[in-house]
Amino acid sequence: MPSDGAQQPHVPAPPRAGGRKAAITMTLVAVLWLGLSLWIADVYGNYREAQLRGQALALAVTSAGALTNALSQRLAQVRGLAAFVAVKAAENQPGEIEREFPVFAASYYQQVPGIRNIAVAPDFVVRLVYPRDAGNLKVVGNHLLEDKRPGFAQTVERALQTRDLAVHEPLEMIQGGQGLLARQAVFVGDRPWGTVGMIFTISAMLESSRIGILEGYAWGLRTAAGTVVGGDAGVFAMQPVSVRIDLPDGHWDFALAPSGGWRAAAARGAEVTALRFGLLILGIGILCLTWVALQRRETLERLVDSRTRQLTSANRELERFSFIVAHDLQEPLRSIISFSQLVERGLSAQLTPEQRQWLASLGTSARLMKALLHDVQIYLGENNAPLPRRQVAATEALAIARRKLNGRIQQAGATVEAGPLPMVWADHHRLGEVFVALIGNAIEYRSLDRSPVVRVSCRTEGPFQVIDVADNGIGIEETYFDRIFEVFQRLHSRNAHPGTGMGLAIAKKMVEHLGGTIRVRSAVGQGSVFSIVLPVAPAWIANARSEQM
């Protein structure tokens, strides 16, 4: 911890700090590039997924078209059988239906693979079936409108209502596998004659549509009620593309998706591999460039740090030399002043008025030189002066300044007014010297037309406390606002306004050492306002506390 609040010289960080900083920077660049690469890959993955969805949709439309053709081919057979029966029934030739049905049904059976049952039901009672095997013969005599099996009677009723085909939900066949039952009502005039129906093996229908050879894809087929007709039921949970297959009294949904999911499919292929490889190479290149830039920066920082240390050392030597010179010159100046006074007293009777004037000028110049050296010592010594560790009352510092300036205040007939002033992070010596400089400046540059009045007040500006020192003097042109705070800068001749020209420069340096500054605003002929701006909580206090922790 710094002692007495003194500012410590800058100590350059050890080389390890630069290495840690470089490592952190490289890690940050790598993480940022990794994040950017993942974002690019995600964007491209979305694009690829959209592409794959378009391709899959086209394939699904083709597959659904093939399935629709296979389904339509079989439903057309049911319509053909219904037309044959309707013609014979209209001719009132039931014997003809019974005699020609086996031949008619056999031709259908040979044309379309997968027909499991062909049946004719006059008055809705099954009388004729093909082929006449044991399984099919069991349904002979079954009254369809009284069938208790789920959906059977309802299918017949839909066929009667629509006078068209009605398709039953897929059913499990006695022989195994799923079957598709289609029925159509037969009318003679407006009177229902009965129905015809066929059962098709769904597996044969799907095989004929060649859906099963979709390499790399999983597919599923289900009814509007959700009954799976074929394929993989899990496809419907894979956000598939879907195509609707219309039926005479409903529809089926055909769904298609890549076997491993869309993301896995989008991650495959030469384009994705090339993108990943390109991002990897580009990332390595960026890291290499970052490393080179960091090395160059570190080299430059070391060079700047070296030059800074050399310059700081040279400045300190120069300051030390200047301080010693200013101090050591005080002694010969005191001797010059003393001997000039002795000469003037010892040879008073022998000196001419002109010689006395010479000695007076010599003494005045020596005293001015002494005052200049004193101010230079204060200005140079401010850098090493300890900083305050507690707050002081600005009112007490103002009282010190008024005591020092009491003679000048009375001589000029000046009035110094002060309102309530705050507690500030400063010390009585510094703040008192600042008040001496500002109030003394106001008295020195007073207007000849009115008595000088100096008003000291305070206000708050955000994180700063501002003490305003206002006067009614001759004022300052805005052009010279910055110049008056420079060392040895004067706006008037020394004969008109004596002084060293360092008062405001010393005051500003003291306030800046406290972490603040001095501002001025003025109007020529009306007066000036010098503002002492001090932070509410100086940085050196926070730093000291953090070091203690």
Side-chain angles (χ1 to χ4, degrees), residues 38 180 255 258 267 355:
L38 292 175
L180 176 65
Q355 290 172 336

Side-chain angles (χ1 to χ4, degrees), residues 492-537:
H492 305 275
S493 67
R494 187 168 278 113
N495 292 331
H497 296 281
T500 63
M502 293 190 64
L504 291 180
I506 293 173
K508 184 174 183 182
K509 190 169 185 179
M510 286 181 171
V511 176
E512 287 178 345
H513 198 191
L514 294 172
T517 188
I518 293 183
R519 301 194 301 250
V520 63
R521 62 183 188 274
S522 181
V524 176
Q526 298 180 23
S528 305
V529 179
F530 287 86
S531 299
I532 305 168
V533 183
L534 292 172
V536 173

Side-chain angles (χ1 to χ4, degrees), residues 23 116 138 197 220 348 351 380 427 460:
R116 183 64 195 87
K138 289 182 179 180
S348 177
L351 295 176
L380 294 175
D427 56 83
T460 301

Side-chain angles (χ1 to χ4, degrees), residues 3 23 75-76 85 98 106 139 189 265 267 292 345-346 361 515:
S3 61
L75 296 181
V85 172
E98 191 171 341
V139 300
V292 171
R345 286 197 298 267
S361 297

Side-chain angles (χ1 to χ4, degrees), residues 13-28 291 294 298:
R16 288 181 300 173
R20 287 196 299 270
K21 186 177 180 181
I24 292 173
T25 303
M26 290 290 292
T27 303
L28 180 61
W291 176 254
L294 288 173
E298 188 175 348

Side-chain angles (χ1 to χ4, degrees), residues 1 539-549:
M1 252 181 83
W540 75 81
I541 299 298
N543 293 339
R545 288 174 180 168
S546 65
E547 289 178 6
Q548 290 174 350
M549 293 175 65

Side-chain angles (χ1 to χ4, degrees), residues 9 48 71 106 185 251 289 336 343 384 409 412 417 420 482 495 549:
R48 281 281 299 153
L71 186 59
H251 71 276
L289 289 175
I336 292 173
V343 169
N384 298 318
I409 292 173
E417 301 174 354
D482 293 329
N495 292 331
M549 293 175 65

